[in-house]
Amino acid sequence: MAKAKALNKKITVITTHINADFDAMASMLAAQKLYPDSLVVFPGSHEKNLRNFFVQSMVYLFNMADIKEIDFSIIERLVLVDTRQPNRIGKFASLVERSDLDVHIYDHHPAMADDIKGSHEICESTGATVSILTEIIKEKGIDISPDEATVMCLGIYEDTGSFTFSSTCEKDFIAAAFLLSKGANLNIISDLISREISTEQVGLLNDMIQAATHHNINGIEIIITTVTSDNYLADFALLVHKMVRMENLNVIFAIALMENKIYIVARSRISEVDVGVVVSHFGGGGHAFAAAATVKDKTLAQTEQELLEILYKTVRSRRRAKNLMSSPPISIEPDVNCREANNLLTRYNVNALLVIKKPSDTDGKDKLVGFITRQVIEKALYHKLDHVQVKEYMTTELATVEPEADLPEIQDKIIGNKQRVLPVADKGIITGVITRTDLLNTLVRQYQKVPIDSFKPLKTTLQARTRNISKFMKERIPPRLLNILQTIGEVAAEIGYSAYVVGGFVRDLFLYRANEDIDIVIEGDGIAFAKKYAVKYSARVHSYGKFGTAVIIFPDGFKIDVASARMEYYKFPAALPTVEMSSIKLDLYRRDFTINTLAIHLNRNRFGTLIDFFSAQKDIKKKSIRVLHNLSFVEDPTRIFRAIRFKQRFDFTIGKLTAGLIKNAVKMDFFKRLSGRRVFNELRQILEEENPIPAIKSLNDYNLLKVVHPSIKINKELIPLLNSVKKVLSWHDLLFLEKSYLKWAVCFMSLIRHCDKKTSEEICLRLELAPRYRTIICNERFKADRCLLLLERNRQIQNSFLYKQLSGFKTELILYMMALTKQERIKKAISHYFTKLRYINTSVTGKDLMKMGIKPGPIYRQILESVLEAKLNGRLKTRGEELLFVKNNSKYSATDERR
């Protein structure tokens, strides 16, 4: 490295942005060709793969110096490449205000208000900055080596996505062609661009996909994913790019907390979302289609909240007149009478008609002269004016909009002018209409997609039904749990918070069902509450900062889940009302069904106050399952599985509207976005119900079994098999065995009984089952099928044979075979093995055989197996009989050996 401190003359320094990528590195090399005596200096850290690339192969190309060795006072000229943002050049930002500093800039990023100004600037909209510099090198006839051409070409390939990004332009292709003519090595470029990702990066990518949330902002679907890693992982931008391609995303913002910094990487394929503008609010930079930022001194939740606030302000709406209008418009001529107009309204089922005068010989355009509504026509008919022409009663004062008109303009003209129908005119030609109904539907959808804290009905119109049920709680809740709830309220009050017990625990209280799964919602910092409570009552805490949740674990292992209402439901920064229960109201509104929206206040001054915003008590009494709003299944399709599970568990009915919404969700195939893991989690809970058969029938009725796999269908053999499974599982549970088993697995194997191995593997892959589950379902199940067939073919089955065939199978597979067989004798035989034979062991051991003078070896196993076989078949009962059996039957006694 060059030692800048040893120089006595003024110097030129070439630098780029912090966290330099290949384009930045390539641009510095190209700039070095234009400024031969300059020093190349990184302003801070650079990606690890970039550092390794330098160290291993190309470092000799650069006249490089460490920033720590630079005397800033002797810098005469500063050359900036691939950036002109002062907050992205590290310590060099302190130089740009110097009046004697000559600043030269080469950049392809869009201009911003706070850009550094240079005495010499070449800034163009290319796919890569190095393309700009390559053009200059080519024009000046500067010679470059094959290695230099390779590095520079690498920058172009990376920043254009191998010429696939929308930012790629003609100059990028020309520059790459020139560099190839100079010997650029595409094999090296390919290896670096298409590098394999590490196991840790695969794990992080999987976390990103699982954590992805969908936000509909001004009609644009935007994906936000947040992940955490204890260690810094390189190539976060590469992982985001892979996720975009894997999931075919238009817009994504990926937020990662790695070590003590937050990194934002954004990608956009559509013009409505300029990610460069969005991340600039975080001090980052980039293009409209790709940008990044590094954030300090903020939490993940704060960063995500701020990001969403910015998105709602900056994302351009797709709700234009051309997107909302109905076309072609239904119209009528002014001379047509009211009776014919009424027939037209009925035929097309519309409430208003445009009145358009056909063109004359001298004018080739239709002329809009007014509109007439159904209300006016009906009144005309009532007054027996059906023969009168519509031009006599039409409205002639009307506004129009152009196809690019936005929603506020449309709303202003329809509502402001009290206009039932709004024509859309393109250069004087009527291309469509927007009705008041169209506008209302759009506004309703917008209302349902805006941030939760702007839902005015939650703030003003919904009033909670409240009553004190403390006496009822004392009757229904065990003293220990009641005491825990009281202490939770006391601790919350001490730190100025409100505490509530919510959800299934409260629901089951009114259903007279035992439930000790306690969910607590804190209006405030739930984690801080949990830690204070744990200290006071000698418990432990596991907290999850990303979600603002915690688990309190008591010394005896009992657990309570705590959620922070403020962190979880103040998702978008805005001023929410501070009135009582505003946060709990928002919390309850986000739940799946009305029956799960009950809450009980736990603070001492209001302990036992039941809060019911959404008529949950009424629905519990009516035994009805209802969603809270019509987009509930759009937001989370897994709620459909829960609706079916609750219907079966509580013997409830699914409300008419809710049932219709389920059918709509299936029809619209909202399940395609669900991960297999989420589908499996819901299916498993259904199969673990006491009687899952009605739920499985309901899944079939709603055509939901295809979500698991298209081959799973109910046929005449499946229901009897599932009934058999139910009986077998009930039999097993009555044995009161301590060892647990996978109840769902027995049901699931029966559900896919007809599926071959290949289909079974497809199903396991779709549901993302763990390897140990796959082994049971895809391998051991088929062994069990073969074993059962063997048993059924044997008319006489000895205990030893039964033991030998079944001893290698897990409990789930034993129960599966019991349920599957239609032969009662086989069912009894398997039962006999499970309850008795599997516990039989020999009393004789290897030590006994040694004392008898039998030489150790494989013979020991044969002898012990013979003893066990005889004992299983009832020929041996005592230890003495076993020893005598060995003496009388062993070919390898001590005497035989001496012979």
Side-chain angles (χ1 to χ4, degrees), residues 105-338:
I105 299 173
Y106 302 87
D107 190 22
H108 73 138
H109 292 93
M112 301 184 71
D114 60 342
D115 282 346
I116 298 169
K117 304 302 179 184
S119 59
H120 177 71
E121 293 185 11
I122 300 182
C123 302
E124 301 177 16
S125 295
T126 56
T129 297
V130 71
S131 298
I132 300 171
L133 291 155
T134 300
E135 183 181 36
I136 299 171
I137 289 172
K138 181 181 178 182
E139 290 174 351
K140 291 182 176 292
I142 299 173
D143 190 38
I144 56 175
S145 68
D147 282 350
E148 289 171 331
T150 300
V151 173
M152 292 161 66
C153 200
L154 173 62
I156 298 175
Y157 268 82
E158 184 194 48
D159 248 31
T160 63
S162 299
F163 306 102
T164 63
F165 292 166
S166 58
S167 60
T168 308
C169 68
E170 180 184 0
K171 285 190 176 182
D172 298 305
F173 286 99
I174 293 173
F178 170 73
L179 295 170
L180 285 173
S181 73
K182 292 297 182 179
N185 190 323
L186 288 181
N187 290 327
I188 294 176
I189 294 170
S190 177
D191 289 342
L192 286 164
I193 293 294
S194 305
R195 55 192 176 274
E196 296 292 330
I197 60 177
S198 67
T199 303
E200 292 80 7
Q201 290 172 325
V202 171
L204 189 64
L205 178 58
N206 183 60
D207 290 344
M208 289 163 59
I209 294 172
Q210 296 299 324
T213 57
H214 297 250
H215 300 267
N216 193 297
I217 299 176
N218 293 333
I220 308 296
E221 186 174 76
I222 294 174
I223 307 301
I224 297 178
T225 183
T226 57
V227 290
T228 302
S229 174
D230 293 334
N231 303 312
Y232 175 80
L233 292 178
D235 293 325
F236 183 47
L238 173 65
L239 300 183
V240 175
H241 179 64
K242 285 185 176 292
M243 183 173 172
V244 168
R245 299 188 68 175
M246 289 168 61
E247 302 294 315
N248 192 27
L249 305 177
N250 280 331
V251 185
I252 183 174
F253 288 85
I255 309 171
L257 173 60
M258 292 189 282
E259 294 178 342
N260 62 342
K261 290 183 181 178
I262 290 177
Y263 299 86
I264 302 175
V265 173
R267 296 289 185 267
S268 174
R269 292 175 171 177
I270 56 178
S271 60
E272 289 84 358
V273 184
D274 186 332
V275 295
V277 171
V278 174
V279 302
S280 67
H281 290 81
F282 296 94
H287 306 271
F289 53 87
T294 302
V295 182
K296 296 181 180 179
D297 303 323
K298 287 184 181 178
T299 65
L300 273 176
Q302 288 173 323
T303 304
E304 187 177 2
Q305 287 176 356
E306 187 174 340
L307 172 62
L308 282 162
E309 182 183 41
I310 294 166
L311 288 172
Y312 274 98
K313 291 179 179 178
T314 58
V315 172
R316 296 189 291 274
S317 175
R318 277 183 173 172
R319 295 189 179 96
R320 305 283 175 180
K322 63 183 180 182
N323 306 121
L324 302 180
M325 70 182 186
S326 300
S327 182
I330 308 300
S331 63
I332 194 169
E333 293 188 45
D335 296 334
V336 174
N337 63 42
C338 292

Side-chain angles (χ1 to χ4, degrees), residues 39-52:
L39 294 177
V40 173
V41 183
F42 282 99
S45 62
H46 36 275
E47 299 287 3
K48 290 182 180 178
N49 67 291
L50 197 55
R51 182 186 301 122
N52 293 338

Side-chain angles (χ1 to χ4, degrees), residues 337-588:
N337 63 42
C338 292
R339 181 178 60 255
E340 292 184 26
N342 183 62
N343 293 336
L344 201 61
L345 288 167
T346 303
R347 184 188 312 163
Y348 291 104
N349 192 28
V350 294
N351 292 315
L353 295 169
L354 296 184
V355 182
I356 295 179
K357 187 177 181 180
K358 293 299 179 181
S360 62
D361 294 338
T362 57
D363 185 2
K365 291 184 180 180
D366 290 346
K367 183 178 181 182
L368 177 66
V369 294
F371 72 91
I372 194 162
T373 66
R374 181 185 293 274
Q375 185 181 25
V376 171
I377 292 293
E378 287 177 348
K379 285 185 177 181
L381 296 180
Y382 177 78
H383 291 292
K384 302 187 185 304
L385 299 173
D386 52 322
H387 61 285
V388 178
Q389 296 175 335
V390 295
K391 66 182 178 181
E392 303 297 334
Y393 302 114
M394 69 183 181
T395 301
T396 56
E397 295 180 358
L398 76 164
T400 63
V401 292
E402 294 182 350
E404 293 299 324
D406 59 13
L407 188 59
E409 182 182 349
I410 296 167
Q411 182 176 341
D412 179 65
K413 289 189 174 180
I414 288 180
I415 297 175
N417 296 328
K418 297 180 180 179
Q419 196 166 310
R420 186 175 288 275
V421 63
L422 180 66
V424 180
D426 185 11
K427 298 178 182 178
I429 299 174
I430 305 301
T431 58
V433 294
I434 301 171
T435 66
R436 285 201 310 195
T437 302
D438 294 331
L439 175 62
L440 179 61
N441 288 336
T442 301
L443 293 175
V444 168
R445 285 194 294 270
Q446 175 177 282
Y447 159 81
Q448 290 173 327
K449 293 171 182 176
V450 297
I452 288 175
D453 54 7
S454 64
F455 277 156
K456 289 184 173 60
L458 288 179
K459 299 179 182 180
T460 58
T461 61
L462 291 177
Q463 295 298 319
R465 297 173 179 85
T466 62
R467 63 187 175 101
N468 193 285
I469 60 167
S470 55
K471 184 177 179 180
F472 178 66
M473 292 170 67
K474 290 177 182 178
E475 294 172 354
R476 293 284 302 126
I477 300 175
R480 188 206 173 197
L481 289 186
L482 188 63
N483 180 64
I484 289 175
L485 295 177
Q486 290 170 336
T487 56
I488 286 173
E490 291 168 3
V491 173
E494 288 175 11
I495 53 179
Y497 295 159
S498 291
Y500 306 84
V501 59
V502 301
F505 177 85
V506 186
R507 175 202 66 214
D508 288 350
L509 202 61
F510 289 91
L511 290 173
Y512 292 85
R513 297 173 63 95
N515 187 342
E516 293 189 358
D517 292 331
I518 297 179
D519 292 317
I520 301 296
V521 169
I522 300 293
E523 284 185 316
D525 189 338
I527 294 176
F529 161 80
K531 290 179 178 178
K532 184 172 180 63
Y533 186 93
V535 170
K536 189 168 183 177
Y537 292 96
S538 303
R540 294 181 291 116
V541 172
H542 286 167
S543 60
Y544 306 90
K546 177 180 177 181
F547 302 105
T549 61
V551 179
I552 299 174
I553 307 169
F554 289 82
D556 63 353
F558 183 71
K559 298 178 181 179
I560 290 176
D561 292 317
V562 178
S564 170
R566 181 180 304 278
M567 290 296 293
E568 189 172 353
Y569 300 108
Y570 281 62
K571 193 80 172 174
F572 314 106
L576 284 174
T578 56
V579 296
E580 186 178 31
M581 295 186 296
S582 64
S583 293
I584 192 66
K585 187 189 303 183
L586 294 174
D587 178 281
L588 297 175

Side-chain angles (χ1 to χ4, degrees), residues 844-867 882-898:
V844 172
T845 66
K847 291 183 179 180
D848 296 318
L849 300 183
M850 191 173 294
K851 288 179 181 179
M852 296 171 68
I854 300 175
K855 185 178 180 181
I859 191 62
Y860 274 32
R861 180 178 177 180
Q862 298 175 21
I863 294 171
L864 294 175
E865 286 179 349
S866 298
V867 173
E882 290 181 29
L883 291 170
L884 184 61
F885 176 87
V886 174
K887 290 179 181 178
N888 293 337
N889 294 280
S890 176
K891 300 177 182 179
Y892 294 90
S893 65
T895 303
D896 289 334
E897 281 189 11
R898 284 192 297 272

Side-chain angles (χ1 to χ4, degrees), residues 676 679-680 683 705 707-712 748 751-769 774 777-778 781:
V679 173
F680 168 67
L683 181 62
L705 289 176
V707 175
V708 182
H709 196 273
S711 67
I712 300 179
F748 187 72
L751 193 62
I752 63 170
R753 166 75 178 86
H754 65 287
C755 297
D756 59 22
K757 187 169 184 178
K758 181 181 178 182
T759 305
S760 300
E761 288 174 347
E762 289 175 0
I763 293 171
C764 289
L765 188 64
R766 162 72 179 104
L767 298 181
E768 301 177 37
L769 295 189
R774 293 186 188 182
I777 292 165
C778 297
R781 173 167 68 90

